Amino acid sequence: MFVVPSIAFFAVLFAALVRSDCECGYTVNSTLYTDLIETDFLHLQNITGDTDWQGQDYTVSAELARGPYGKNASTTNIVANPLKNEYDWAGDGVNGGDAGLQLIVRGGTPENGGLIPMAELVTSRDDMLYGSFRAGIKITNVNGTCAAFFWYWNNTQEIDMEFLSTQMNETSSPVNLVLQSPQSAKQGFSAQGTGGFVNQQLPYQPDEGFHEYRFDWSPNAVEFYADGVLLQTLSKSVPNTPGHITLSHWSNGDPGWSAGPPVSDALLTVEYVKGYFNSSDPKRQEDWKSRCPSTATVNSTCAVPEVKEAPNGNSSAHTFFFSQEKNMTTNQTVGGEKSIASSIRWTQTASTAVFVFMVASTMEWFI
Ligand SMILES: *[C@@H]1O[C@H](CO)[C@@H](O)[C@H](O)[C@H]1NC(C)=O
Ligand SMILES: *[C@@H]1O[C@H](CO)[C@@H](O)[C@H](O)[C@H]1NC(C)=O
Ligand SMILES: *[C@@H]1O[C@H](CO)[C@@H](O)[C@H](O)[C@H]1NC(C)=O
Ligand SMILES: *[C@@H]1O[C@H](CO)[C@@H](O)[C@H](O)[C@H]1NC(C)=O
Ligand SMILES: *[C@@H]1O[C@H](CO)[C@@H](O)[C@H](O)[C@H]1NC(C)=O
Ligand SMILES: *[C@@H]1O[C@H](CO)[C@@H](O)[C@H](O)[C@H]1NC(C)=O
Ligand SMILES: *[C@@H]1O[C@H](CO)[C@@H](O)[C@H](O)[C@H]1NC(C)=O
Ligand SMILES: *[C@@H]1O[C@H](CO)[C@@H](O)[C@H](O)[C@H]1NC(C)=O
Ligand SMILES: *[C@@H]1O[C@H](CO)[C@@H](O)[C@H](O)[C@H]1NC(C)=O
Ligand SMILES: *[C@@H]1O[C@H](CO)[C@@H](O)[C@H](O)[C@H]1NC(C)=O
Ligand SMILES: *[C@@H]1O[C@H](CO)[C@@H](O)[C@H](O)[C@H]1NC(C)=O
């Protein structure tokens, strides 16, 4: 009678010691995703060292770029501009101007058929199969570029949010929502009329501040959001293969799309990218099964907080990162640099408090 409770107590204590939060994944409006990627570009000192992202170096001829000019993607056009004060969440970066990762399209007109200098980076992971993807973005006010936040597998399996700076004026500020498909490919990569294209007006000018752009991709539909408000649901030609996330800022001079080239350097600034997704990688699926057995009695999923206002100020831009909390990304692959802001938050006091909380919660769950 005396021994049994002690064993139970130690079992509970042991369980508390080996468990961590969010082991079974992250939920977005009750849809569960097993994996995540999160990058806090406001505090990232050096993109080269971030293993989650691969800056691109490539060139595309004018002919293949389908414009009067070709494209020259170079990592020299991807510039980290972290906040001057590492404890802030908004304001000027160390190089001046808005803090965040800058993707630059260089100004000036190359010779005919020449290449326009641009910027692109892609996630290292290529196994994203359904998920909720978000980015805090401010687009350029320089005419003649296309800024794109998208998921990509190939030219017929692609989900885009594309901003054309030439389409922006005081009375009109659209984002182009696109699902590329075999039909759009047949039309020369115009998704118009395929059910996979909407030129969607935004209730603000996207070059005047940061906003959160988001798309939730499920087997049946893709929902597009801005600052947590649903803009549009597209349910034709929904992709069904795994792929990766890309950030891109480019121009090929095509008067019907990107326009340009821009007359001066055009900056796309990114505060963060977050993705909560399922993996097509059998190894990652095994990892999930091993840390989240079907016999799990603990409710170990974490709800992804929704951003409901523009992430522009020191308070609103301080969005939530599981990867900046202790123990909410155990067995995940999130790489990157750890920001100082996150490590100082984890004091001994907090550690003790959470430990006590975990023991208490675990007892509740296990008993
Ligand atoms: C998560 O918390 C558990 C219990 O406190 C601990 O055993 C484990 O080492 C922690 N893991 C990480 C990655 O901090
Ligand atoms: C979440 O699901 C509920 C019920 O299906 C729906 O009414 C609501 O709009 C959804 N919210 C989001 C942000 O998707
Ligand atoms: C993601 O994977 C989890 C675990 O296998 C599953 O429960 C969930 O339904 C999947 N979500 C989607 C959108 O397929
Ligand atoms: C960024 O990191 C890379 C290697 O990780 C290093 O070669 C480079 O000098 C660093 N750049 C800056 C600006 O610190
Ligand atoms: C592409 O841009 C890089 C960086 O500015 C430059 O070094 C390289 O020569 C360019 N390539 C071509 C083919 O213009
Ligand atoms: C911004 O908020 C952080 C806390 O999130 C605080 O430490 C910092 O001092 C604030 N900065 C300004 C300029 O108010
Ligand atoms: C894209 O990938 C899908 C699925 O693997 C394939 O069926 C399709 O033919 C591919 N399209 C192109 C343009 O390669
Ligand atoms: C703004 O752009 C829209 C759509 O391209 C166009 O119809 C309208 O005339 C433009 N307004 C001004 C003031 O340029
Ligand atoms: C942007 O540039 C195009 C030519 O590339 C021009 O037709 C258009 O009027 C310009 N738009 C604005 C808003 O300046
Ligand atoms: C369990 O997780 C779900 C999904 O995040 C949440 O809605 C529910 O409130 C949680 N239940 C408990 C008891 O924590
Ligand atoms: C996740 O945990 C499993 C089982 O301990 C291990 O084999 C795997 O390497 C881990 N994966 C990561 C990315 O930490």
Side-chain angles (χ1 to χ4, degrees):
M1 289 317 278
F2 181 75
V3 172
V4 170
S6 299
I7 290 168
F9 175 75
F10 282 111
V12 164
L13 193 62
F14 181 68
L17 284 170
V18 295
R19 299 210 70 88
S20 58
D21 291 336
C22 321
E23 286 173 306
C24 292
Y26 309 89
T27 56
V28 177
N29 210 19
S30 82
T31 302
L32 177 66
Y33 298 112
T34 58
D35 284 54
L36 92 171
I37 180 174
E38 289 182 333
T39 309
D40 171 9
F41 290 120
L42 288 172
H43 297 100
L44 185 81
Q45 304 292 322
N46 184 344
I47 183 70
T48 316
D50 191 321
T51 52
D52 286 335
W53 293 96
Q54 293 173 355
Q56 301 293 295
D57 288 288
Y58 65 80
T59 57
V60 183
S61 68
E63 191 190 354
L64 287 175
R66 300 187 294 268
Y69 301 94
K71 302 190 283 195
N72 180 3
S74 167
T75 46
T76 60
N77 301 324
I78 306 172
V79 179
N81 187 26
L83 283 157
K84 278 183 185 156
N85 177 351
E86 60 207 3
Y87 303 108
D88 287 347
W89 285 85
D92 283 352
V94 292
N95 306 327
D98 295 316
L101 190 72
Q102 298 172 334
L103 280 73
I104 306 172
V105 178
R106 301 288 172 188
T109 306
E111 64 193 43
N112 239 0
L115 310 180
I116 300 177
M118 58 158 286
E120 182 166 304
L121 66 165
V122 306
T123 55
S124 305
R125 288 188 62 167
D126 209 8
D127 60 335
M128 299 174 179
L129 180 58
Y130 308 121
S132 178
F133 303 94
R134 301 110 190 266
I137 288 177
K138 181 177 175 180
I139 72 155
T140 183
N141 60 8
V142 179
N143 191 356
T145 72
C146 174
F149 167 46
F150 63 105
W151 172 92
Y152 184 86
W153 167 245
N154 65 22
N155 287 335
T156 57
Q157 298 263 326
E158 180 176 340
I159 303 167
D160 297 299
M161 298 186 87
E162 289 180 286
F163 303 84
L164 307 178
S165 53
T166 193
Q167 288 185 337
M168 307 295 165
N169 62 38
E170 285 84 39
T171 55
S172 175
S173 40
V175 53
N176 294 283
L177 309 174
V178 186
L179 302 187
Q180 295 290 6
S181 59
Q183 298 92 299
S184 71
K186 266 185 219 138
Q187 299 178 182
F189 299 98
S190 162
Q192 219 126 19
T194 64
F197 178 84
V198 176
N199 182 255
Q200 171 76 40
Q201 287 297 328
L202 294 165
Y204 52 77
Q205 290 186 251
D207 55 334
E208 289 183 348
F210 288 95
H211 295 275
E212 184 181 270
Y213 300 99
R214 164 178 159 196
F215 53 91
D216 289 6
W217 166 38
S218 65
N220 300 323
V222 182
E223 293 177 337
F224 295 91
Y225 297 82
D227 295 335
V229 175
L230 181 64
L231 298 172
Q232 202 62 242
T233 304
L234 298 182
S235 46
K236 288 219 173 102
S237 325
V238 175
N240 58 10
T241 55
H244 61 256
I245 292 294
T246 301
L247 292 166
S248 180
H249 196 201
W250 59 275
S251 176
N252 64 354
D254 175 1
W257 192 249
S258 74
V263 293
S264 58
D265 284 5
L267 265 59
L268 167 71
T269 314
V270 186
E271 290 176 314
Y272 61 84
V273 172
K274 302 172 187 177
Y276 308 94
F277 58 93
N278 278 354
S279 173
S280 61
D281 180 351
K283 177 79 181 79
R284 290 300 297 151
Q285 292 172 1
E286 280 308 310
D287 285 1
W288 177 75
K289 277 186 200 133
S290 71
R291 66 174 187 271
C292 185
S294 57
T295 52
T297 50
V298 177
N299 188 0
S300 44
T301 61
C302 295
V304 178
E306 279 193 41
V307 162
K308 294 211 162 104
E309 59 177 322
N312 261 315
N314 192 50
S315 165
S316 58
H318 188 168
T319 62
F320 185 79
F321 291 80
F322 290 103
S323 50
Q324 293 184 354
E325 303 296 319
K326 183 109 172 180
N327 237 340
M328 289 188 142
T329 52
T330 301
N331 204 236
Q332 296 293 341
T333 66
V334 273
E337 299 178 335
K338 293 279 173 264
S339 82
I340 298 198
S342 69
S343 50
I344 57 131
R345 198 181 304 152
W346 188 254
T347 61
Q348 192 52 48
T349 319
S351 160
T352 309
V354 169
F355 178 74
V356 168
F357 167 79
M358 281 183 68
V359 171
S361 331
T362 310
M363 287 177 92
E364 207 173 43
W365 287 326
F366 271 78
I367 290 168

